[in-house]
Amino acid sequence: MTTAKIGYGAAFWLDNAAGTLTELSEITAITLPNPTTADVEATHFKSAGRRREYIAGLIEDGEGTFSMNYDPGSATDIICRAAQDDGIARSYKIVVPDGTGVTWEITGECIVKGYERQVPIDDRMMATITVRFTGDSTEAAGTAGGPRLPQTRLWRRGATGLCSGGTTARVRWQRVRVSICSTREAST
């Protein structure tokens, strides 16, 4: 069985001018930090087989983009414009849900590099904030209380059950409750 999950309930938080983490509203797509290690050439006159040699260099978390529904003059719009204007590294938090009510959180600092807003004639207005992740980021289990995916009831074929008197009966169909993204099931 797959362990794939959807991103419903994810969030991006950015600190405002007062240094308070504030959730940006109506985010529709999140790019996580993407660490890459630089190559540092270490070739010397006696490198084996006339081959270049490399050692690991510094790690960079790259850039991230966060798409959202654009709401002119909203708190999110104000924070994004101010963060780009002041050019100061700001704290961020990315919350990734796991579908069971527990989250995974990534925190660190970033510099806002761009804030692109689009106003189409016949579609929703969108905005994209582009950040450069700077320094080290931390990833850890977050808090419980994140969004839970709905449960559904299914019918399962061929279940067995214990009848009164200790005899076993084979049930042709049995109704079960299944939590999406979970391997557990419970009879009802």
Side-chain angles (χ1 to χ4, degrees):
M1 176 188 261
T2 184
T3 59
K5 297 169 178 59
I6 62 173
Y8 176 75
F12 178 62
W13 297 64
L14 186 66
D15 76 16
N16 61 17
T20 304
L21 277 174
T22 304
E23 182 177 2
L24 301 189
S25 63
E26 298 194 35
I27 297 290
T28 60
I30 293 174
T31 303
L32 303 178
N34 183 24
T36 56
T37 303
D39 300 330
V40 176
E41 188 173 348
T43 308
H44 53 88
F45 289 124
K46 301 215 179 193
S47 290
R50 280 184 339 141
R51 302 285 193 255
R52 294 189 183 276
E53 295 182 68
Y54 295 91
I55 59 173
L58 298 177
I59 299 172
E60 180 178 318
D61 280 344
E63 292 186 358
T65 56
F66 304 89
S67 300
M68 64 193 83
N69 292 326
Y70 176 53
D71 183 8
S74 66
T76 294
D77 181 44
I78 292 167
I79 289 170
C80 291
R81 286 186 287 121
Q84 184 176 20
D85 288 345
D86 67 24
I88 297 171
R90 293 176 178 242
S91 297
Y92 72 86
K93 175 171 74 171
I94 299 171
V95 178
V96 180
D98 78 350
T100 65
V102 179
T103 61
W104 188 254
E105 295 182 1
I106 304 165
T107 58
E109 289 195 336
C110 66
I111 299 167
V112 174
K113 292 183 60 174
Y115 182 50
E116 177 182 347
R117 297 167 285 176
Q118 302 168 1
V119 182
I121 193 168
D122 194 22
D123 201 357
R124 65 182 171 173
M125 297 188 295
M126 296 289 295
T128 301
I129 184 172
T130 303
V131 302
R132 162 71 70 186
F133 299 112
T134 182
D136 193 15
S137 60
T138 302
E139 295 193 25
T143 58
R148 287 185 174 274
L149 293 178
Q151 293 185 337
T152 186
R153 294 183 188 270
L154 302 174
W155 291 90
R156 180 178 67 184
R157 185 176 182 181
T160 53
L162 190 61
C163 298
S164 63
T167 59
T168 302
R170 184 156 178 82
V171 179
R172 187 164 206 161
W173 294 92
Q174 179 183 13
R175 197 163 110 178
V176 295
R177 183 179 21 201
V178 177
S179 296
I180 299 173
C181 299
S182 174
T183 58
R184 297 179 311 172
E185 59 181 45
S187 298
T188 58

